[in-house]
Amino acid sequence: MTPSSSIAAPGAVPGHEAHDDHGHHPSYLTDGTTVKSWLLTVDHKRIGIMYMAWILLFFLVGGIFAMLIRIELLTPGPTIMDAMTYNRVFTLHGIVMIFLFMIPAIPAIFGNFLLPLMLGAKDVAFPRLNLLSLYVYLAGAFFALWGMLNGGLDTGWTFYTPYSAHTTTTVAPVLFGAFIIGFSSILTGMNFIVTTHTMRAPGITWFKMPLMVWALYATSCIQVLATPVIGLLLLLVTAENLFSLGMFDVARGGDPVLFQHLFWFYSHPAVYIMVLPAFGVMSEIVSAFSRKNIFGYRAVAYSSVGIAFVGFFAWGHHMFVSGQSTFNAGVFGVLSMLVGVFTAIKVFNWVGTVYKGAVEFSTPFAYFCGFLFFTVFGGMTGIAVATVSLDVPWHDTYFVVAHFHFIMVGATIMAFLAALHYWFPKMFGKMYHEGWGLVSAALIILGFNATFIPQFLVGNAGMPRRYYEYPERFQALNVASTAGASLLAFGFIIIAVYLTYALIYGKRVDNPWHSKGYEWLTMSPPPTHNFIGPQPTYPEEPHFYVDPKKAQGEVSDV
C-alpha cells in the first residue's frame, strides 16, 4: 500500500504546501515532550488529543456497561445481576455515553483540532479558556464517576422527578458532575463562535467556510443557548433531593411535568449537539472521496442553521403521554417533522455530490455509507414517533430505544469513526492498514444493525424499556440483539489494535487522500502554530476539484 505524495491545496501561497520534512519543521507532537508541556498546553491540537484520550476511555466504560446490559437480558429472569444493580448499570451507561462521550466527542476532539486549521488561524480565539474547558470536563466526570462508584444512581439518564428526588441511591454527585460538564460545553461553544467570527484568514468568507465549520458553529449556538437550562435544572433536582424543597412535588404545590419540559427543552436540542457535527464530518468526507466540491453548498449550510433553530421548538414530542393537549401534541409533531425536511436536504445533497463523482471507496467512505443508512432509516422512524397515534403505543418500549440508538448513537458513531480514520493521518502523520479498516467498518455496521433491528421488533411487540425481567416470548430477539452487540464490540477491538499499531509502526504520510480541504493545506502532523511562515490566503473554495474523472487517475491506492 503506497500513500500518495503531498500536494499543494488550491490557493496555497509558496511555503504553505504540505511538508514531509519533519526534521526542519517540528510538529505539535514533538514541540515539547514533557508531561508538563502537555498538561499546561494552550495548543488547540494538543487539547484535542487530550480530549480524545479521555473521551475514548469513557467510551470504553460506557461500552462495558452496554455489554453488561445485553448479557443480563440474555434470559427472561436474573442472569448476572440483581434488579437494583441492573437499574444502576443502564443509568450509568446512558449518563457516560451521552454526557461524557457523544455530546463532546466530535466538537471537543475534531472541532478543537480542525477548526483553526479550516479557518487558516493559528489557534482558537481563547486558548486558555480552551484548556480550562478540558479540566472542567474532567472535574465533572470525576464527580459523576465518584457518585457512580459510591452508591450509584438508578433513575435512568433522564433523572425524572419525583423518583430522582426521593431515591436512596447517590443522586447529588452525579447531577453535580453533569452540571459541571455543562460549563465545559458552554466554554467550548463560546470559543468556537468567537473563533469563527474573528479568526478567519483572508479570503475565507462565510460562504467559503468548510461545511464542518458551519456545523460546529450551529452546534456551538445550541450549546451556549440550551446548556444553561439543563444546568439550572440539575441544580434544582440536586437541591430537591438533598433538602426536599417541593419544587417538583405535587403534594407540596410542585409540578413534575415542569421538570420534563425543562429537561427536554435542553435534551432535544442536545440530540443536534451530537448529530450536527456528524453532518459536518460527512459533508467533508463525501466531497473528499467523491473528488467533487459539495453539491448545493448553501442549502447544506443553511440546513445546519435550520436544524439548530427548529430543534428548540420540538421538545414536546417526548411528552405525548404527559397530558398535553391534542393541539399542542399536533404542533410539536409537525415541528419535529420539519427537522426531517432539513435533514433530507443534506441527504439529497450528499447523494448529489456522490453522483458521477470519482468515488474512492476507502474506510472513511465506508462509514459514510453506514451513516447514510442509519440517518435515513433512523430519521424515518423519527417521523413515525413524531406521529401521536404511533408514539403513544410505542412510548417507553424498546422501539424508542432502537430509534434513538439508530439516529443518535449510530449516526454519531459512524461520523466519529469516519472522522477518526479520515483525519488520523492529519493528526499523527501515520497511516493505518486500509484492509483492516474496511473489515472493522463492515463488522461495526453489521453489528449495529444486528443489535438494534431486533429491538425495533421486540419494542413493536410490546416489550417495555428498562425492564429487568420480560416474558419468554421476547427471549429470541433479545438473544439476537446481544449477539449483534458482541459483533459490534469485536469491530471496536479491531480498530483499537490497528490504530495503536499505526501510531507506533505506521508509515509516514502527509495527505494520503489527496484531499483539497483547507485543513490539508499544512504539513501532517501540523506545526505548533499550524502554518510555516505568514498566514495563507484562500482564493478558492474548499474541496475545489475541477475534473472528477481526471482526479480519479491521480489518487493513489492507500
Side-chain angles (χ1 to χ4, degrees):
M1 291 177 289
T2 304
S4 58
S5 60
S6 60
I7 58 171
V13 298
H16 296 285
E17 296 85 1
H19 292 276
D20 285 322
D21 189 0
H22 296 268
H24 288 84
H25 303 300
S27 74
Y28 77 97
L29 292 171
T30 57
D31 187 9
T33 56
T34 64
V35 173
K36 181 180 178 181
S37 71
W38 277 86
L39 295 180
L40 299 181
T41 185
V42 291
D43 184 351
H44 66 99
K45 298 179 292 298
R46 286 193 166 196
I47 292 170
I49 296 299
M50 289 193 289
Y51 261 119
M52 176 185 286
W54 286 105
I55 286 171
L56 288 176
L57 175 63
F58 295 134
F59 179 60
L60 173 63
V61 172
I64 291 172
F65 285 139
M67 287 307 302
L68 291 174
I69 293 169
R70 291 313 322 162
I71 292 170
E72 173 55 41
L73 293 174
L74 274 173
T75 63
T79 306
I80 60 170
M81 62 185 79
D82 59 30
M84 178 57 79
T85 302
Y86 176 77
N87 289 346
R88 288 170 172 162
V89 167
F90 76 67
T91 298
L92 302 184
H93 164 69
I95 292 171
V96 170
M97 282 300 203
I98 291 172
F99 292 105
L100 297 180
F101 173 67
M102 284 194 299
I103 287 177
I106 296 176
I109 298 173
F110 301 106
N112 263 313
F113 195 99
L114 296 166
L115 183 66
L117 291 172
M118 289 181 166
L119 294 176
K122 291 187 175 182
D123 210 313
V124 292
F126 306 114
R128 289 180 177 83
L129 275 184
N130 201 21
L131 181 62
L132 177 63
S133 73
L134 170 64
Y135 289 118
V136 169
Y137 168 80
L138 292 177
F142 169 79
F143 272 98
L145 292 174
W146 184 86
M148 295 174 190
L149 296 173
N150 289 271
L153 182 67
D154 66 340
T155 63
W157 76 273
T158 53
F159 315 118
Y160 267 20
T161 57
Y163 184 72
S164 60
H166 303 292
T167 177
T168 56
T169 55
T170 309
V171 173
V174 179
L175 292 181
F176 190 63
F179 169 75
I180 294 173
I181 292 168
F183 278 98
S184 174
S185 186
I186 293 170
L187 290 173
T188 300
M190 288 193 332
N191 218 340
F192 286 1
I193 290 171
V194 176
T195 300
T196 304
H197 276 273
T198 65
M199 304 285 285
R200 300 194 308 275
I204 301 183
T205 61
W206 278 95
F207 291 104
K208 281 178 62 179
M209 292 193 310
L211 287 168
M212 177 73 171
V213 177
W214 274 101
L216 289 171
Y217 183 80
T219 302
S220 298
C221 292
I222 299 175
Q223 288 175 298
V224 170
L225 294 173
T227 306
V229 176
I230 191 68
L232 293 174
L233 179 63
L234 293 177
L235 278 185
L236 284 174
V237 178
T238 302
E240 182 88 355
N241 182 266
L242 294 176
F243 308 115
S244 300
L245 300 179
M247 181 72 68
F248 306 109
D249 185 352
V250 175
R252 301 173 64 183
D255 185 2
V257 178
L258 174 62
F259 171 89
Q260 294 186 38
H261 279 289
L262 294 174
F263 180 85
W264 289 114
F265 181 80
Y266 163 79
S267 294
H268 187 74
V271 172
Y272 308 118
I273 295 177
M274 306 172 211
V275 173
L276 272 175
F279 290 164
V281 169
M282 290 308 171
S283 294
E284 297 298 315
I285 285 175
V286 72
S287 292
F289 290 92
S290 299
R291 312 300 293 170
K292 290 172 63 180
N293 51 344
I294 195 76
F295 181 85
Y297 172 95
R298 292 202 175 209
V300 177
Y302 283 136
S303 66
S304 294
V305 178
I307 289 172
F309 179 74
V310 176
F312 278 101
F313 302 98
W315 80 90
H317 74 242
H318 295 274
M319 302 170 58
F320 283 156
V321 298
S322 67
Q324 62 183 266
S325 69
T326 303
F327 176 79
N328 284 351
V331 169
F332 281 126
V334 170
L335 289 171
S336 302
M337 293 178 189
L338 186 57
V339 175
V341 174
F342 290 117
T343 305
I345 290 171
K346 292 183 179 294
V347 170
F348 284 120
N349 281 279
W350 291 329
V351 173
T353 304
V354 174
Y355 180 65
K356 291 189 177 181
V359 175
E360 176 78 6
F361 198 91
S362 298
T363 303
F365 193 82
Y367 284 113
F368 166 76
C369 295
F371 172 88
L372 207 60
F373 173 76
F374 292 131
T375 300
V376 173
F377 192 109
M380 293 304 296
T381 62
I383 297 297
V385 296
T387 305
V388 180
S389 59
L390 294 175
D391 181 75
V392 170
W394 282 335
H395 189 81
D396 270 344
T397 70
Y398 263 91
F399 190 95
V400 175
V401 174
H403 156 68
F404 75 70
H405 275 86
F406 251 69
I407 193 62
M408 192 169 75
V409 184
T412 302
I413 288 181
M414 288 296 106
F416 178 81
L417 293 175
L420 184 61
H421 287 81
Y422 177 53
W423 284 302
F424 188 88
K426 171 54 60 182
M427 300 171 92
F428 302 106
K430 300 288 189 71
M431 189 61 195
Y432 53 86
H433 192 286
E434 179 66 18
W436 281 113
L438 290 171
V439 168
S440 63
L443 286 174
I444 288 173
I445 293 169
L446 291 173
F448 203 93
N449 280 285
T451 302
F452 294 105
I453 287 177
Q455 293 185 24
F456 276 116
L457 299 175
V458 77
N460 192 55
M463 180 174 171
R465 63 194 293 190
R466 298 174 177 165
Y467 271 37
Y468 175 64
E469 297 182 357
Y470 58 84
E472 289 187 7
R473 69 179 184 273
F474 297 141
Q475 184 175 10
L477 288 170
N478 275 290
V479 169
S481 183
T482 301
S486 303
L487 187 64
L488 189 60
F490 186 58
F492 283 116
I493 292 171
I494 293 175
I495 292 176
V497 171
Y498 70 70
L499 287 186
T500 302
Y501 182 88
L503 278 175
I504 303 170
Y505 304 108
K507 189 169 184 177
R508 284 196 176 278
V509 293
D510 201 87
N511 184 357
W513 319 118
H514 272 285
S515 173
K516 295 187 178 181
Y518 287 165
E519 72 277 15
W520 296 95
L521 199 66
T522 186
M523 59 184 262
S524 300
T528 300
H529 298 294
N530 294 342
F531 302 97
I532 306 299
Q535 191 178 37
T537 57
Y538 299 82
E540 302 289 356
E541 61 193 46
H543 296 291
F544 185 75
Y545 302 99
V546 178
D547 186 353
K549 292 183 180 179
K550 182 180 178 182
Q552 188 178 32
E554 296 174 355
V555 178
S556 300
D557 291 331
V558 177

